[in-house]
């Protein structure tokens, strides 16, 4: 069998979702990694800290010796077995550390001693991260960005999910974008989001999609910040506007924030789910008290309470529709109209969800 060479072809790695074995410590991995990477560290956080301290006090040779002393015996065998298992399950994969230096070379040598030739990624995490940042800026210049806009509840994300050449920013950020948009799953680390976004854009362009559709978003999606270069492009980008009736929009919000989110809470928390779901919505509502006004916030909160009681007793959802419509018409719509008036981009098309999808697919 031909031995595979080490690589610095980062584009090919990301376009093909090549499996990667990350040798860095768990804390390093949690701060930022890549979608196809698996954390299988050479050293734990505490072990790495001890070696780092030794390096500062006694130099590189002493630090390397300490590292070999710490990761030895049964501990070394356990970690070596995990690396071998990964190599067996992912024969086309690669390993890397922070700079493609000592840690990845050490693991590569230990695997070779065990009869496994496994290539490493030259330059490691640092070089790949720099490549993705620079590639994102290059690709953004090459792409024609078109925003899918529309009032809350028009189903913009539903459009993004089916239009060719689109990137679902909210999906990547694991958040629905609004004050109420936090899901049960945690959002990714900021760097993870940026890496995944860069790879998504690279893939769309590689597939031949010069026009890239993005949902019209603010600077933040939950706690995730959009890259400044993207925000600047979005300020000037042309728009496609999704327009739906109030009743249709109420239904979309009902499906996303009452039915779907309710199912997620019940699946995660069982019989405690409905109460936790209600408290989540009331907590989100409280965040906009200042902009909504205290009296109106209290009125909507009472409507939400009544809606959950009615849903639990009879299964009827009409009271949910009422508080949703109140928020849409008195809070979200005026805010959207203001934001749209400040958009510099040309409006290319406007229509219902199905009309926008048909237009974009032409």
């Amino acid at each position: 069998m031909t031995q595979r060479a080490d690589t610095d072809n980062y584009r090919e790695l990301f376009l093909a979702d090549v499996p990667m074995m990350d040798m860095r410590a768990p804390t390093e991995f949690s701060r930022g990694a890549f979608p196809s990477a698996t954390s299988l560290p050479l050293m734990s956080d505490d072990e790495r800290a001890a070696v780092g301290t030794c390096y500062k006090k006694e130099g590189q040779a002493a630090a390397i010796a300490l590292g070999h002393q710490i990761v030895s015996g049964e501990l070394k065998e356990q970690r070596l077995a995990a690396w071998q298992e990964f190599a067996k399950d992912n024969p086309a994969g690669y390993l890397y550390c922070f700079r493609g230096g000592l840690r990845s070379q050490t693991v590569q040598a230990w695997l070779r001693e065990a009869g496994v030739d496994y290539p490493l990624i030259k330059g490691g995490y640092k070089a790949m991260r720099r490549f993705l940042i620079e590639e994102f800026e290059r690709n953004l210049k090459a792409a024609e960005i078109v925003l899918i806009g529309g009032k809350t509840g028009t189903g913009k994300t539903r459009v993004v999910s089916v239009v060719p050449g689109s990137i679902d920013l909210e999906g990547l950020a694991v958040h629905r974008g609004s004050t109420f948009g936090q899901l049960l799953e945690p959002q990714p680390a900021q760097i993870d989001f940026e890496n995944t976004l860069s790879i998504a854009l690279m893939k769309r362009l590689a597939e031949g999609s010069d026009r890239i559709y993005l949902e019209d978003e603010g600077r933040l999606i939950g706690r995730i910040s959009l890259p400044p270069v993207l925000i600047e492009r979005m300020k000037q980008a042309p728009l496609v506007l999704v327009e739906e009736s109030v009743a249709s929009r109420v239904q979309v919000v009902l499906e996303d924030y009452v039915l779907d989110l309710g199912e997620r809470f019940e699946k995660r928390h069982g019989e405690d789910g409905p109460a936790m779901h209600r408290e989540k919505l009331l907590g989100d509502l409280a965040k906009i008290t200042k902009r909504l006004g205290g009296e109106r916030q209290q009125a909507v909160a009472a409507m939400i309470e009544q809606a959950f009681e009615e849903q639990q007793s009879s299964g009827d959802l009409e009271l949910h529709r009422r508080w949703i419509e109140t928020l849409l018409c008195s809070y979200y719509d005026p805010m959207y109209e203001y934001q749209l008036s400040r958009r510099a981009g040309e409006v290319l098309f406007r229509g219902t969800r199905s009309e926008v999808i048909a237009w974009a697919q032409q």
Side-chain angles (χ1 to χ4, degrees):
M1 184 175 176
T2 306
Q3 181 178 333
R4 292 187 299 128
D6 297 341
T7 188
D8 58 3
N9 189 340
Y10 311 131
R11 178 186 298 278
E12 184 178 298
L13 291 171
F14 292 124
L15 286 177
D17 294 322
V18 172
M20 305 177 192
M21 179 163 41
D22 191 321
M23 303 290 101
R24 298 175 303 152
T27 297
E28 294 174 281
F29 186 88
S30 68
R31 283 198 295 262
F34 310 108
S36 62
T38 300
S39 178
L40 288 170
L42 171 60
M43 290 182 286
S44 70
D45 293 327
D46 289 343
E47 291 162 357
R48 176 172 171 263
V51 170
T53 300
C54 180
Y55 178 84
K56 289 175 184 174
K57 290 181 177 178
E58 302 177 44
Q60 186 182 47
I64 292 172
L66 178 60
H68 281 274
Q69 180 185 332
I70 290 173
V71 187
S72 62
E74 188 176 340
L75 185 61
K76 177 181 175 181
E77 292 305 313
Q78 289 173 354
R79 291 180 187 172
L80 185 58
W83 299 326
Q84 288 176 291
E85 186 70 19
F86 183 92
K88 178 185 172 185
D89 293 342
N90 302 280
Y94 290 81
L95 61 86
Y96 69 88
C97 61
F98 185 64
R99 290 191 181 87
L102 200 54
R103 285 181 283 182
S104 53
Q105 290 168 15
T106 297
V107 172
Q108 188 180 48
W110 286 353
L111 280 169
R112 194 168 287 139
E113 289 170 10
V116 179
D117 273 314
Y118 211 65
L120 61 78
I121 300 170
K122 299 174 186 176
Y125 171 83
K126 187 176 182 181
M128 287 189 283
R129 168 70 174 154
R130 189 187 322 114
F131 168 79
L132 287 179
I133 291 171
E134 293 172 353
E135 188 71 2
F136 184 69
E137 294 184 5
R138 279 195 297 269
N139 287 333
L140 205 53
K141 289 177 182 176
E144 179 194 356
I145 301 296
V146 175
L147 302 183
I148 295 175
K151 293 178 178 178
T152 300
T154 50
K156 300 182 288 293
T157 305
R158 286 161 167 75
V159 174
V160 167
S161 69
V162 295
V163 167
S166 61
I167 297 174
D168 183 1
L169 296 174
E170 293 181 2
L172 298 184
V174 193
H175 196 281
R176 285 186 170 139
S178 71
T179 305
F180 293 81
Q182 184 179 343
L183 300 170
L184 275 71
E185 301 79 14
Q187 289 193 265
Q190 177 68 33
I191 290 173
D192 285 358
F193 170 80
E194 292 170 6
N195 289 342
T196 307
L197 175 58
S198 179
I199 294 166
L201 180 57
M202 193 191 315
K203 286 181 176 180
R204 294 296 172 273
L205 293 176
E207 292 161 359
S209 301
D210 292 334
R211 174 174 280 191
I212 305 297
Y213 288 98
L214 304 173
E215 186 169 339
D216 189 10
E217 302 283 357
R219 187 178 62 84
L220 291 172
I221 304 177
R223 60 165 179 76
I224 294 292
S225 301
L226 295 183
V229 287
L230 177 58
I231 293 170
E232 289 308 308
R233 275 298 303 276
M234 290 172 75
K235 285 179 181 176
Q236 307 297 324
L239 294 109
V240 176
L241 297 180
V242 186
E243 297 179 334
E244 293 282 344
S245 68
V246 172
S248 172
R249 293 164 54 212
V250 168
Q251 183 63 28
V252 166
V253 175
L254 180 77
E255 290 171 4
D256 287 352
Y257 292 90
V258 176
L259 298 177
D260 176 67
L261 194 59
E263 286 178 13
R264 295 181 188 220
F265 268 99
E266 285 201 53
K267 190 173 182 180
R268 176 76 64 88
H269 300 289
E271 61 183 23
D272 294 331
M276 296 175 73
H277 180 201
R278 184 188 68 230
E279 291 308 311
K280 189 260 187 208
L281 293 182
L282 290 171
D284 290 339
L285 179 69
K287 295 174 188 174
I288 58 173
T289 299
K290 189 174 180 180
R291 285 176 288 175
L292 193 60
E295 191 174 322
R296 189 183 295 161
Q297 184 270 333
Q298 289 175 8
V300 175
M303 293 167 76
I304 291 175
E305 294 272 16
Q306 291 167 7
F308 273 98
E309 289 173 13
E310 182 64 31
Q311 181 186 6
Q312 192 168 9
S313 64
S314 69
D316 190 276
L317 299 172
E318 187 56 36
L319 293 181
H320 278 299
R321 288 188 170 88
R322 290 184 193 173
W323 71 259
I324 291 169
E325 183 172 347
T326 299
L327 270 187
L328 288 180
C329 295
S330 65
Y331 175 71
Y332 281 104
D333 287 2
M335 185 167 59
Y336 172 77
E337 295 289 356
Y338 172 73
Q339 290 169 346
L340 182 62
S341 71
R342 294 170 62 84
R343 279 287 185 210
E346 173 193 1
V347 176
L348 300 178
F349 183 81
R350 59 175 76 216
T352 63
R353 277 198 305 278
S354 57
E355 289 168 346
V356 167
I357 290 169
W359 178 85
Q361 289 176 336
Q362 288 177 354

